[in-house]
Amino acid sequence: MRISVIGAGYVGLVLGSCMAESGVDVELIDIDHGRVRLLNKGMVPLHEPGLKELLVSNLEAGGIAFTASYPKGLRGAQVAFVAVGTPPLQDGGADLSGVKAAAAEVARYAAADLVLAIKSTVPVGTASQVRQLLADEGRTDIEVISNPEFLREGRAVEDFLHPDRVVIGTNSAEAARLMKSLYRRFLDSDIPVMVMDNASAEMTKYASNAFLATRISFVNEIANICEHVEANVDDVVRAMGADRRIGSHYLYPGCGYGGSCFPKDVQALINMANGNRYAASLLSSVHQTNINQKRRLGEKIADYFAGTLRGRMIGVWGLSFKENTDDVRESPSLTLIDYLVGKGARVQVFDPASLHRVPDIFPDGVTACRDQYDAVRDADALAVVTPWEQFRSPDWERVKSLLKHPAVFDGRNLYDPDQLMDMGFAYDGFGRPNGHQIRPVLQDSDLVDTQLITQG
Ligand SMILES: NC(=O)c1ccc[n+]([C@@H]2O[C@H](COP(=O)([O-])OP(=O)(O)OC[C@H]3O[C@@H](n4cnc5c(N)ncnc54)[C@H](O)[C@@H]3O)[C@@H](O)[C@H]2O)c1
C-alpha cells in the first residue's frame, strides 16, 4: 500500500515515519525545498525523541521518501494525509490557506478514488469546504475524511504508535474500512478506532485540547488563590487528583501553557462559536487566565526587585514551550523574556534543544548560553520555565556560587521550597505558602463582585 503525507512538520514526519515502519510505502510532500533536501539526507530539522532513528532506518530501507513535487508525491497513493500547519489568524480563527492549497494540488494530481484524510486541526465544516473545493474542480471521486491527531510533542512517536483512540470522521463505510486497515497495522487490538461524522471528528480535537487547557487554567487560578489564603497548592492538587472523578493529569500549576496547539485551538474554538453567534465565555476565561498567567513569572521577579529591573541580569532556564521539544511557539519563556527585556533587564538563557532560535526571535540584551550554569553566572536571579529533566536536580551549590544574588523563581513548581530556603535561596513558585510570596494588591474595582453574580 502506498500513501502520501502532505506537510513534513512535527505531525507529518511522525505519521510518515510510523506508517513506513508498519510496511506502508510513504511519500512525504513539503513546499519547503530546503527541508525536503535535508530530510532526503536523513537530517531531521526538529527535535523529537526517537524520530530521527525511525526516519533514517526507513529512508535507508526505501520505505519513505521526500519531495517538493505534488505529481511525484501523489503518484500511486490510495490515501493522502494533509498535515500542514493551521496557524492562528489575527481574529483567532484558523488559517486554512495551507489546507486549501494542498487540496487544490490534490485536485490536479491525485489518482482516481483517493481518500483525502485531513490530519491538520481544522474548524468544524472544513472537510465540507474541501469537498466542495474538489467538486468545483470536477473531483467528486475523492473521499474527504477527518482524522484529527492527538500526539504530544516531546513524546510524539510513542503517542502516535500507542494512542488512546483513533478518530475517523466519514460517512463512507469503504473509507472507514481502508483507514482502519492502515491503523490496525500497528495499533494494539484494544485501542478503539472511533468512526463518526466529519463535524464531530473535527470538534473532538478542539474539545479535547480546550478541556486540557481548561484544566491548566483552572489549577493556575486555584494556585493564585492559594497564594492569597496561605493554602498549599501542592497538597490541594495531590488530594484533588486522588479523586478518580478528577484524576491528576494536567493539574500542574505554573507559568501557563504554550505550544502550537492549546493557545491556537482554544482561540479557534472561541472564534468558531462567535461565528455561530454563541459567546463561549468559559473558553474566553481559560484563554485570558492563561495570558495573565504567562506574565506572572515576570511580575513576580519585578516585584521582588521592588518594581525595577533596569540593569538586572536574569538567568533563564528553558526556551521551548515544554521539555523534549525544540518548539518555541507561544512559549511562556518568550513572554517572560520579552517582559524582562521590556523592563530594562538583560537575559542569559539556556535550553537543551531550542537555542538555535534565539537570534531569530530576540532583540539585543538576550544572550544564548552554552550550558545551564553559564546562564546563571553573575545573574541577579534564576527563572526556570521549561521542566527539562536536567533542570530538576541541578547542583545548587554551584548555582549559588555563580549567582550574584541567590533568588530562584520556579515557573513549574519543580523544587522543594524548604530545601532551597535552607540553602539560603530566596524562592518563589506558584501557589506555595513558603518562600518569598508576592501578592499583587488589587483595587476593589478589579475584584469579581460575587454579590452581583448571586443576584443574577
Ligand atoms: N504539533 C503538534 O503537537 C500537533 C499535534 C496534533 C495536531 N497538530 C496539528 O497538525 C497540523 C500540523 O502541525 P505541525 O506542528 O506538524 O506543523 P509544522 O508547522 O511543524 O509543519 C507544517 C509543515 O507543512 C508544510 N506546508 C505548509 N503548507 C504546505 C503545502 N501547501 N503543501 C505542502 N506542505 C506545506 C510546512 O512547510 C511545514 O513543514 C496543525 O494543524 C496542528 O494544529 C499538531
Side-chain angles (χ1 to χ4, degrees), residues 6-12 29-32 35 70 83-86 98 101-102 119-121 149-153 205 260-261 264-265 329:
I6 303 170
Y10 289 89
V11 170
I29 305 168
D30 202 291
I31 47 173
D32 182 339
R35 176 166 283 226
Y70 270 89
V84 304
T86 46
K119 229 195 204 299
S120 301
T121 303
E149 181 51 56
F150 300 93
L151 63 75
R152 292 162 289 179
E153 281 175 28
K205 173 64 190 176
S260 67
C261 292
K264 102 173 154 53
D265 292 350
R329 289 178 279 188

Side-chain angles (χ1 to χ4, degrees), residues 210-220 246-251:
F211 183 71
L212 295 172
T214 301
R215 285 180 71 107
I216 297 171
S217 277
F218 177 86
V219 80
N220 283 337
I246 298 173
S248 56
H249 294 301
Y250 287 82
L251 283 186

